[in-house]
Amino acid sequence: MPRGGGWPWLAGFGGLGHARHRAPIRRWRTWLALICLVGLGIRLFYLVHWLHPVPVQGDPYYYHEAANLFADGRGWPDPYELRLSGHYVADAQHPPLTSVLLAIPSLFGFTSFLSHQIFSCLLGVGAIVLVALAGRRVAGPATGLVAAGLAAVYPGMWLNDPLVMSETTGILTCAWLILAACRFRDRRGRLDAAVLGLALAAVMLARAELALLAFVLVVPLIGLARGLAWRRRLGLLALATLTSVLAVVPWTIYNLTRFSEPEYLSTGLGTTLAVTHCPATYYGEHLGWWSFDCVLALPPAPSERSERDVFYRHEAMTYLRAHSDRLPVVAAARLGRTWGVFHPWQQVRLDAIELRPIGLSRLGMVTLWAVEVAAAAGVVVLVRRRQAVLPLVAVPIALSLATVIVYGTTRFRAAAEPALVLLAAVAITAAAQALHRRARPGCAVPAYPTSSPDSPALEPASSMASDRRSGKRTPNVAELTDS
C-alpha cells in the first residue's frame, strides 16, 4: 500500500524529502487546479444563466459604485446620496475591503457591474484554494482536495459571489484566517503570529462584526499555545495585535478625520440595529429578522453619517432595554434563521429580496443541512484524534454571537461556510479511510493521513521534546509543501 491514505495518486506524501515529493505535489496541485476550474465554471454559469442582467441596487450598488469612486481617487462618499442629490457625503456604511478589491479591475478600466461580478467570482475561486491549503494542513492532502471539491460545488460557498456582496470577501478572508490559525498552531513562530494578525485585520475590514474573532480565536489560540513560555506567548500575542492594528489603522484614522462622532470600522451598526429592534422583529412572522417598519416608526435621523449611527444605536438600545424579556426568544430565532433551522422555507423567500433565485436558495438550504451534519461529525473526528478544533469552530462561534446581537439571515452564515466545509471534509475523508480499511483488512491504513501536521509518525516523541525545550519545531510535510 502506498503511503498517503491508500490513494495511489497521493503516494509519496508520507516522507520528507523534497525530491521524492515533487511528483505527488504536482499531482495534488493539478487536481486542485481542475477543481478550481469546476468551481469557476459553476459560478460563471450561475452568473450568466440567473443573474445577468440584474438590477443594480442595494448593497451590491454600494460596493460597485464605491469601488469605482475609490479607483477614481474620490475617497469614500455615500454612493446613494451622490447619485440622488449630487452631494458628496462622507460615509462608511460598510467596511472598505470589498470595494477596495473590486477597485482592482476598475483601475484597469473594467468598471461595469458585470466586470465586478466576474471579479467577485474569481475571489470565490481564491477561497477554494485557501480552503484546500487549510484542509491539507488540518488532516492531509486528501482532506484538502475533498474540502476544495466541496467549496467548488456547495451552494453556500458560491451563491453570494455574482451578487457582488461582502459575503464573498468574508468567505475569502475567513478561509485565510483559518489557514493562518492552523499554520500558527503548527509552527508558532513570529512570522506566523504576524500573518495571523494580518488575516484578522482583513476579516475585520471585510465584516466589522467579525472583530469578535480577536477574542474567540486569536487570543486563546496564542495564549493557550502548548510548549511555550508565558513570556513567549505574550510576545507573539503582542506581535499579532500590532500587525492587525497597523493594517486597520489607516482606515480608522481616515474615518476619525471626516466624521463628527468617533467611527473606527463602520457607520453601519446603528442602521443595522435600528431595523432589527422593534415590534416587527420581536413578534410576528418576521421574528428574528429585520424590517423597514422599525425605522419608519422612528423620528427623522441626522444626515451626518456618524451622528445618524449614534442616533440609531440609542433608539435601538432604548427599545432593547424596554423589551429585554423577549431577548431569549429573539436570539434563538436569529440563530435559527442563520443556521437554517427556524422557518427555513420562509427564510428562502425572504432571501429573494437580495436577488437570490428561490430554487437555488432551496438547494442551498438542503445541502446546508447535510454539510452541518458532516461538520458535526468532523468535530468528533478531530476530538478523537486529539487535534485542536479551535481554528475551525471559532468562526461559527463568533458568527453566532454576532447574529444574536444583530439579526438572523442566510447571508450572515457565509463567513462560516469555509469552516463547515473543512469540518465536513475531515469527516468524509475519515469515513472513506474507515471503509477502505474494512474492504481491505490486510492493508494497514493510518487512522489519519501520515502527512498530517500532527502525525506522530513525523514527530517522534524524543525530537518533539527536544524541539519544545529549544523553542523550535521540526518542519512537517504540510509546512514543506505549502506555497
Side-chain angles (χ1 to χ4, degrees):
M1 286 290 296
R3 303 185 73 180
W7 288 274
W9 43 273
L10 288 178
F13 275 93
L16 292 177
H18 282 287
R20 291 174 56 195
H21 286 185
R22 286 172 185 164
I25 290 171
R26 282 196 297 269
R27 286 195 293 272
W28 190 87
R29 291 174 178 171
T30 300
W31 277 102
L32 177 58
L34 292 174
I35 292 171
C36 287
L37 287 175
V38 171
L40 178 60
I42 291 173
R43 286 156 174 80
L44 293 179
F45 179 76
Y46 168 41
L47 165 60
V48 173
H49 188 72
W50 273 281
L51 296 177
H52 180 71
V54 67
V56 186
Q57 60 190 26
D59 285 349
Y61 176 82
Y62 185 102
Y63 294 118
H64 163 65
E65 281 299 316
N68 288 334
L69 291 168
F70 179 69
D72 289 340
R74 302 186 64 184
W76 220 270
D78 182 342
Y80 308 123
E81 190 71 31
L82 196 61
R83 180 182 67 173
L84 293 174
S85 66
H87 295 157
Y88 187 102
V89 178
D91 186 55
Q93 178 71 21
H94 302 289
L97 185 59
T98 300
S99 292
V100 167
L101 291 176
L102 293 174
I104 295 174
S106 297
L107 290 172
F108 293 94
F110 299 100
T111 58
S112 68
F113 188 68
L114 178 59
S115 298
H116 287 166
Q117 286 179 299
I118 295 173
F119 188 77
S120 185
C121 290
L122 294 175
L123 294 178
V125 175
I128 296 175
V129 175
L130 293 175
V131 165
L133 294 174
R136 185 176 66 178
R137 180 162 287 277
V138 168
T143 301
L145 291 182
V146 171
L150 290 175
V153 304
Y154 167 49
M157 290 287 291
W158 52 259
L159 268 175
N160 298 291
D161 291 350
L163 296 174
V164 188
M165 304 279 275
S166 64
E167 280 66 36
T168 296
T169 316
I171 288 174
L172 181 69
T173 54
C174 282
W176 181 26
L177 181 63
I178 292 171
L179 175 60
C182 292
R183 287 173 64 93
F184 177 84
R185 178 204 63 190
D186 297 335
R187 296 181 173 184
R188 296 173 292 180
R190 293 185 180 88
L191 178 60
D192 306 297
V195 171
L196 181 63
L198 187 61
L200 174 64
V203 169
M204 292 190 294
L205 292 173
R207 301 287 307 179
E209 70 274 8
L210 292 180
L212 290 168
L213 284 166
F215 307 100
V216 177
L217 174 60
V218 175
V219 171
L221 182 67
I222 298 177
L224 300 177
R226 295 181 179 180
L228 296 180
W230 275 105
R231 181 173 296 184
R232 171 78 170 175
R233 299 183 201 182
L234 292 175
L236 292 174
L237 181 59
L239 180 58
T241 303
L242 178 63
T243 305
S244 189
V245 169
L246 289 177
V248 173
V249 75
W251 173 250
T252 300
I253 292 175
Y254 178 55
N255 287 334
L256 291 175
T257 60
R258 62 196 184 115
F259 295 121
S260 60
E261 298 289 340
E263 297 288 352
Y264 303 101
L265 285 175
S266 168
T267 60
L269 177 61
T271 305
T272 302
L273 294 177
V275 298
T276 57
H277 292 82
C278 75
T281 62
Y282 274 52
Y283 306 89
E285 64 174 347
H286 289 162
L287 174 65
W289 201 50
W290 63 272
S291 174
F292 281 123
D293 293 341
C294 300
V295 173
L296 296 177
L298 297 177
S303 59
E304 202 276 337
R305 294 305 184 259
S306 65
E307 294 175 356
R308 176 181 295 183
D309 186 34
V310 172
F311 171 79
Y312 279 144
R313 274 186 277 156
H314 176 266
E315 293 295 327
M317 294 305 298
T318 299
Y319 184 87
L320 187 152
R321 284 191 290 267
H323 300 83
S324 58
D325 59 311
R326 289 288 296 174
L327 285 180
V329 175
V330 174
R334 289 170 175 171
L335 283 173
R337 288 190 182 275
T338 297
W339 294 106
V341 294
F342 179 73
H343 294 336
W345 304 126
Q346 181 204 47
Q347 189 60 49
V348 165
R349 294 192 300 272
L350 294 175
D351 289 342
I353 196 174
E354 296 161 352
L355 303 180
R356 287 179 177 80
I358 290 182
L360 292 180
S361 292
R362 287 177 180 148
L363 175 64
M365 188 65 70
V366 173
T367 54
L368 165 68
W369 296 333
V371 169
E372 285 177 334
V373 171
V379 172
V380 174
V381 170
L382 291 178
V383 170
R384 287 182 175 178
R385 293 176 181 175
R386 298 184 180 179
Q387 290 181 257
V389 297
L390 179 61
L392 296 181
V393 301
V395 177
I397 291 173
L399 188 71
S400 297
L401 293 174
T403 292
V404 168
I405 296 171
V406 285
Y407 66 96
T409 188
T410 299
R411 69 188 184 103
F412 273 10
R413 191 186 64 248
E417 300 288 12
L420 296 182
V421 163
L422 285 163
L423 288 168
V426 169
I428 291 171
T429 309
Q433 291 168 352
L435 290 174
H436 193 278
R437 286 196 299 271
R438 290 184 181 182
R440 303 184 66 178
C443 297
V445 180
Y448 52 95
T450 55
S451 56
S452 170
D454 295 308
S455 172
L458 296 182
E459 295 184 286
S462 59
S463 65
M464 289 181 68
S466 174
D467 289 340
R468 288 173 180 170
R469 286 193 298 268
S470 64
K472 300 179 180 179
R473 195 175 188 277
T474 303
N476 54 53
V477 163
E479 294 167 345
L480 291 173
T481 60
D482 272 351
S483 300

